[in-house]
Amino acid sequence: MENKKSKYIFIVLSVLCVMMIVISSVKDGIMNPIRNTIGYVLVPFQTGVNRVGFGIYENLKEHRTLAEVEEENKKLNEKIDLLTEQNNRLTLDSGELSRLRELYGLDQEYMQYEKVAARVIAKDSENWFQVFRIDKGSQDGIRVDQNVMANGGLIGIVTDVGLNYATVRSIIDDESRVSAMGLQSSDTCIVAGDLTLYEQGRLRITDIKKDTSIQEGDRIVTSNISAKFLPGILIGYAVDVKEDEKRLMKDGYLIPAADFNDLSEVLVLKQVKSDSFLDENSGDGRVMAGAGSADEILKNVSEQNTNITGTWAGMEGLTPLGEIDGTADPNSGLITAKDIVDTGDNVYTVKKADEKETTASGNNGGEEDDSGRSSSGRESSNRTRETEAREEETVENSARETEAPETETRETAARESSQAETESQTIANQEETSYQNNDSEEELIEENPNN
Amino acid sequence: MKSIFKKKSIKKSTKRRLGILVYILSLVTAFLIQTSVIPLLPFLSASPNLLLILTFSIGFIHGSLPGMIYGLSAGLLLDLFYSGPFGFYSLIFVVIGYVNGFFCNVYYEEYITLPMIMCVVNEFIYHVYIYFFRFFFREKFDIPYYLQHVVLPAVVFSLMVTLILYRFVFSATEKIDK
């Protein structure tokens, strides 16, 4: 009986485990609530053990002899002299570098990324994987896919986040792949962790194109095309680059810049690479220091950006960057297939309601997007109602005319360049009343010669 | 005389509860030591798998069902904290707990070399399982390297710790069952 009962339970448990494996392989994050709860309870223990161990270790270190300390002091003084000299040289160089950067209009440098310091509290105990946990979590602003650095080099990437802990997969883990490039040549390659090279302290570099100039000792940094890693973070130095067996590509080994033996404190870069993909509107993909989310990035656009892109956008008839309301739906006033297909009362009532909405919102805010929407709303309603009675058109005309001065004041108030405001108003009013069927874009283009 | 009466009055249910409490405590402690203390010691190149040792010890001493349940909880703890699909470690721990339960009624539990053989066999199965599902499918066929550098140190360390832990589990069981 005992055996039968346990056999059934065994079958049930095995099936349950296999199902969990399948589900969690297919759908990420399904176990996160449970992970969070248990992590919340157990991580303080892990942190505590870690602190105690660290404290003991520090205590033991203090009991060294005076001779040792003096020797170390001497060595450190020599090092200080060396570093001071290096520092002086670098200060001169960095002055030149910032001038050159300004010249090129780049202000992207990974030192500007906001960082959070964290401590390693637990490691995967097997030698098969190189995964560790840090003691900061989502309540400290850690998110999945944030890069982790230590000792001046890339260490890993965050894979899992709980309330007060996060799991980081190190780049030397067998399953880790980093898209990288040589610093001097900007040729892309892939840096892969490999368990067989772990003892030698190396990683593999693969997929180097045959005619590139990556050489021994070249610095390898994360590339711009990486989907998860921020660009420009130092990974290590290339060694032993040679052609592979098929003679199609080159591959080699990489000695990492960071020291993996001794990981205790790491830095987590708060910027997530996918946030900068939302930053497309800013024209040159700039990363603003200290900006956390995409909304903040959009709102924190610098003056320089606005000026440059203001004239650029104005010339092409689009809304200047500084006036884009990130929360507004840019597609709301556009004509959809449904509008073209449906004619008749439904569309009229829908568009009228739409127009009323835009009028109301237009009365409230000074956003050029609204004016763009309302004008395009008018245009779309125009096109679909060409067969309607004239009464409706006159109603619409009067609505448009009352709207026109408002939109004009808003548009000119929003622009930062100097214009003769009254001139543009009267001219624009005349244009609007005369050209009823123009596109919203055409309207803006026609106004721009007034700038 | 009085002392004998007092001991006899300890009911079986409280004994069982005490046993369960001891095992839960050992589970959590082993997990904490295995993940927080041992990897951060700089002189150990591999770490003994304490949870695995506890699982098969309990499976061997108490039977299939307790072994399975203990294995499930140990596996769940490991799954919650580590990489890979959820349920990966749970499955292998449940299997190990169950299979070791078969030897419960067959062999004499105090014979010390048997746990050592079991330790080697169980560790081997465990590492082969990890290798097969996480490495073999990614076409990493360097088996001799893995055997020499990953499996062998782990087995040796676990063997050393089995001598201590198995004794601990055995004597704890005896004290509770008295």
Side-chain angles (χ1 to χ4, degrees), chain A residues 90-339:
Chain A
L90 287 176
T91 320
L92 289 175
D93 281 343
S94 88
E96 189 186 328
L97 185 60
S98 57
R99 285 196 301 276
L100 286 175
R101 277 208 175 115
E102 241 181 77
L103 211 55
Y104 277 110
L106 303 166
D107 63 352
Q108 194 175 3
E109 187 194 312
Y110 69 85
M111 291 309 176
Q112 280 177 237
Y113 298 151
E114 201 183 323
K115 301 185 186 100
V116 172
R119 182 167 267 181
V120 174
I121 55 172
K123 279 192 202 169
D124 194 339
S125 54
E126 306 298 323
N127 273 347
W128 290 108
F129 307 111
Q130 301 293 331
V131 172
F132 57 88
R133 300 192 117 200
I134 57 175
D135 61 352
K136 293 260 160 76
S138 57
Q139 63 192 17
D140 304 292
I142 308 284
R143 288 153 56 198
V144 180
D145 281 349
Q146 286 182 337
N147 306 149
V148 181
M149 284 172 57
N151 306 330
L154 184 69
I155 290 265
I157 189 168
V158 176
T159 53
D160 238 335
V161 176
L163 265 182
N164 58 350
Y165 72 91
T167 312
V168 178
R169 188 174 61 224
S170 147
I171 56 170
I172 54 181
D173 186 86
D174 213 83
E175 294 177 355
S176 137
R177 299 279 179 280
V178 182
S179 176
M181 65 183 187
L183 187 59
Q184 282 102 359
S185 47
S186 292
D187 301 312
T188 57
C189 54
I190 293 187
V191 171
D194 196 334
L195 193 52
T196 48
L197 297 172
Y198 173 65
E199 300 274 314
Q200 307 166 21
R202 291 176 171 196
L203 294 90
R204 269 186 309 127
I205 309 181
T206 55
D207 293 310
I208 308 175
K209 289 207 186 60
K210 203 164 159 187
D211 49 357
T212 61
S213 59
I214 293 186
Q215 298 163 346
E216 186 103 3
D218 248 2
R219 287 175 161 220
I220 305 288
V221 298
T222 49
S223 81
N224 301 318
I225 60 172
S226 168
K228 294 198 172 181
F229 289 93
L230 297 167
I233 306 179
L234 179 65
I235 306 178
Y237 304 93
V239 292
D240 251 0
V241 179
K242 55 184 184 312
E243 285 185 4
D244 67 353
E245 303 108 24
K246 303 187 185 113
R247 302 184 72 88
L248 284 176
M249 296 254 190
K250 288 200 265 190
D251 53 21
Y253 299 100
L254 179 126
I255 295 184
D259 184 10
F260 286 91
N261 290 325
D262 216 5
L263 279 183
S264 53
E265 296 247 343
V266 297
L267 290 171
V268 183
L269 298 175
K270 277 192 137 175
Q271 182 86 20
V272 177
K273 183 82 186 275
S274 50
D275 279 351
S276 57
F277 290 155
L278 296 172
D279 201 14
E280 274 166 15
N281 279 333
S282 78
D284 53 0
R286 286 185 204 202
V287 170
M288 290 298 144
S293 68
D295 289 345
E296 286 172 13
I297 293 173
L298 280 174
K299 281 177 193 152
N300 289 344
V301 174
S302 62
E303 261 186 3
Q304 198 181 16
N305 260 352
T306 315
N307 285 339
I308 295 173
T309 51
T311 46
W312 166 77
M315 285 191 284
E316 298 215 40
L318 302 171
T319 54
L321 180 62
E323 288 95 41
I324 289 182
D325 176 10
T327 55
D329 176 15
N331 294 328
S332 62
L334 291 179
I335 298 168
T336 60
K338 192 167 173 278
D339 303 335

Side-chain angles (χ1 to χ4, degrees), chain A residues 24 35 46 125 128 133 174, chain B residues 35 47 79-81 86 127:
Chain A
S24 68
R35 277 190 156 127
Q46 287 184 323
S125 54
W128 290 108
R133 300 192 117 200
D174 213 83
Chain B
T35 59
S47 72
D79 273 330
L80 287 169
F81 281 62
F86 194 88
H127 285 292

Side-chain angles (χ1 to χ4, degrees), chain A residues 2-3 5-7 9-10 13-14 17-18 20-21 24-25 31 34-35 38-39 42-43 45-46 49-50 57 120-129 131 133 160 165 167 174-175 177 193-199 204 263, chain B residues 28 31-32 34-37 39-40 42 45-47 49 64-65 68-69 72 76-77 79-91 94-95 98 102 126-127 129-131 134-135 138 140 142 145-146 149-151 153:
Chain A
E2 174 75 31
N3 269 345
K5 191 173 92 172
S6 54
K7 195 183 195 180
I9 295 184
F10 172 68
L13 284 181
S14 309
C17 287
V18 171
M20 281 199 292
I21 291 176
S24 68
S25 306
M31 282 297 166
I34 306 180
R35 277 190 156 127
I38 300 203
L42 279 182
V43 165
F45 285 107
Q46 287 184 323
V49 167
N50 183 271
Y57 186 62
V120 174
I121 55 172
K123 279 192 202 169
D124 194 339
S125 54
E126 306 298 323
N127 273 347
W128 290 108
F129 307 111
V131 172
R133 300 192 117 200
D160 238 335
Y165 72 91
T167 312
D174 213 83
E175 294 177 355
R177 299 279 179 280
D194 196 334
L195 193 52
T196 48
L197 297 172
Y198 173 65
E199 300 274 314
R204 269 186 309 127
L263 279 183
Chain B
V28 174
F31 174 73
L32 286 178
Q34 186 177 339
T35 59
S36 292
V37 176
L40 302 179
S45 63
S47 72
N49 201 338
S64 285
L65 195 57
M68 260 201 304
I69 296 186
L72 182 69
L76 281 179
L77 267 182
D79 273 330
L80 287 169
F81 281 62
Y82 292 131
S83 64
F86 194 88
F88 187 74
Y89 289 103
S90 309
L91 189 59
V94 163
V95 167
Y98 181 69
F102 279 140
Y126 175 72
H127 285 292
Y129 172 78
I130 292 183
Y131 169 74
R134 304 283 291 273
F135 283 71
R138 291 186 292 126
K140 308 230 166 199
D142 200 355
Y145 182 87
Y146 295 133
H149 283 97
V150 180
V151 180

